[in-house]
Amino acid sequence: MMDTVLDAAARTFIQVTEVWVPQDGKLVLASGNYGDLDAFKAASGKESFAKGEGLPGKAWADARPVVLKGFENSYFKRAEAAKEAGLTSGVAIPVFAGDELKAVLTVLCGDDDERIGAIEVWTEADGVLKLDDGYYGAAKQFEWVSQHTQFPRGQGLPGGVWAASTPMLMRDLGSGYKFIRAESAGKAGLTTGLGLPVPVPGGDVFILTLLSALGTPIARRFEIWDARAATMGQSNEAVLIDGICEREGKLWDDENPRRATAWQGRIGRVLGSGQPVVESDGAGLPAGYASIVALPIHVGGALSHIVAWYR
């Protein structure tokens, strides 16, 4: 029954995910998942971005996550190809190790009456976190509530990530007492939340939250890996410290923890390179999953955690 439910819900909140890496003074495409948007994939493969150019280049130049809601008449370079593909909004997440840009992860979405979810960027102002910007699809009421909510350090998902300086997973958003916006999340159908810090040069606080709904999920499996030297020593390994999967349920095991080694498997490639990995061939992934996004978090210039989500 579970397989049927998972396989039937083919629509996803995020339609395109890309990794852009610096090369010879520009950002070039390292990998991407475009689903069946072959024409947009072809257009993207021919593209590159100077610092400050396009959505990836703006995240690089501004040294912060960037939300762009509306590609037409904007700085988005692939606007015509995006329009033909039905893509309307995007979020660019820079991956910095200290002052060094390792990559920019971009996620692109379409706008219709069915897609529900949230990609939010929270930033610190006057001692609390306030919504910098976000994309919510059809969850307009939840968007309004979010625009009028702020989080002290330690409160809610964004505040918890801020206080801990680590990624966090929250389940059952609609009924969880720790999720401050639980009532509106429940009405919107949001179920699972992943929050993570986005360290940037200069030390400004940015927290990214991905909120997933059952009908149009961001992902059906989430993982958080700890790669800190304080936890792993100099082993060049990471250990799975939290995870949830619609197929397997709870993923971590304190007595027999899952480990990843540098350059072995997708998580290992992130460990070794310090760059995000996006793949959609399904080979070697957990049973029933066709794609993975694995995103590193660098704190103090060193790889701290890896968050991964699967569809």
Side-chain angles (χ1 to χ4, degrees):
M1 179 65 180
M2 179 65 79
D3 287 352
T4 302
V5 171
L6 289 178
D7 295 338
R11 293 175 67 80
T12 55
F13 188 66
I14 295 172
Q15 292 172 265
V16 170
T17 309
E18 305 170 315
V19 177
W20 299 88
V21 298
Q23 181 177 303
D24 299 326
K26 289 192 171 186
L27 292 173
V28 299
L29 185 65
S31 60
N33 179 5
Y34 296 88
D36 59 359
L37 301 179
D38 294 335
F40 187 78
K41 177 180 180 179
S44 301
K46 302 172 184 175
E47 196 57 84
S48 64
F49 299 94
K51 192 172 186 178
E53 185 178 35
L55 182 58
K58 185 169 176 59
W60 181 11
D62 292 357
R64 47 159 298 156
V66 175
V67 179
L68 179 58
K69 294 184 286 191
F71 293 156
E72 287 194 71
N73 302 315
S74 76
Y75 55 81
F76 193 80
K77 283 181 68 177
R78 297 165 286 167
E80 191 60 38
K83 183 177 181 180
E84 292 177 5
L87 300 170
T88 57
S89 303
V91 181
I93 304 126
V95 178
F96 282 98
D99 292 333
E100 178 192 0
L101 181 76
K102 303 289 285 187
V104 176
L105 181 78
T106 58
V107 296
L108 308 178
C109 306
D111 196 8
D112 58 40
D113 293 335
E114 297 182 18
R115 283 191 169 87
I116 297 287
I119 306 168
E120 304 174 312
V121 176
W122 299 85
T123 189
E124 186 271 334
D126 303 321
V128 295
L129 289 178
K130 299 179 181 179
L131 185 68
D132 183 74
D133 209 344
Y135 176 68
Y136 298 83
K140 301 303 182 187
Q141 173 64 20
F142 185 78
E143 179 176 9
W144 185 91
V145 169
S146 302
Q147 290 168 343
H148 295 82
T149 303
Q150 56 189 34
F151 295 95
R153 183 187 291 266
Q155 187 177 77
L157 179 57
V161 172
W162 182 22
S165 295
T166 64
M168 294 177 61
L169 266 174
M170 275 193 178
R171 291 91 162 148
D172 304 320
L173 298 184
S175 58
Y177 69 94
K178 291 184 178 179
F179 193 75
I180 305 304
R181 298 168 286 166
E183 182 178 358
S184 53
K187 290 178 180 178
L190 299 170
T191 57
T192 305
L194 172 67
L196 56 139
V198 183
V200 296
D204 288 344
V205 174
F206 291 102
I207 307 295
L208 179 75
T209 52
L210 305 177
L211 309 181
S212 189
L214 276 178
T216 52
I218 287 175
R220 296 191 177 89
R221 178 185 178 109
F222 295 93
E223 299 172 348
I224 297 176
W225 297 79
D226 190 345
R228 291 174 295 184
T231 305
M232 306 306 299
Q234 301 303 314
S235 64
N236 219 7
E237 292 184 324
V239 63
L240 185 70
I241 58 170
D242 199 0
I244 185 169
C245 172
E246 287 189 19
R247 291 177 177 272
E248 300 176 43
K250 170 186 168 182
L251 294 176
W252 78 98
D253 184 341
D254 292 333
E255 295 184 1
N256 187 28
R258 304 186 191 199
R259 291 177 178 266
T261 302
W263 300 110
Q264 295 183 12
R266 272 75 165 200
I267 303 301
R269 277 172 45 205
V270 179
L271 264 175
S273 68
Q275 295 178 337
V277 166
V278 173
E279 288 192 5
S280 57
D281 62 9
L285 295 182
Y289 292 94
S291 67
I292 178 176
V293 179
L295 177 65
I297 301 164
H298 301 264
V299 175
L303 184 58
S304 165
H305 292 82
I306 299 168
V307 296
W309 57 95
Y310 301 74
R311 298 201 308 238

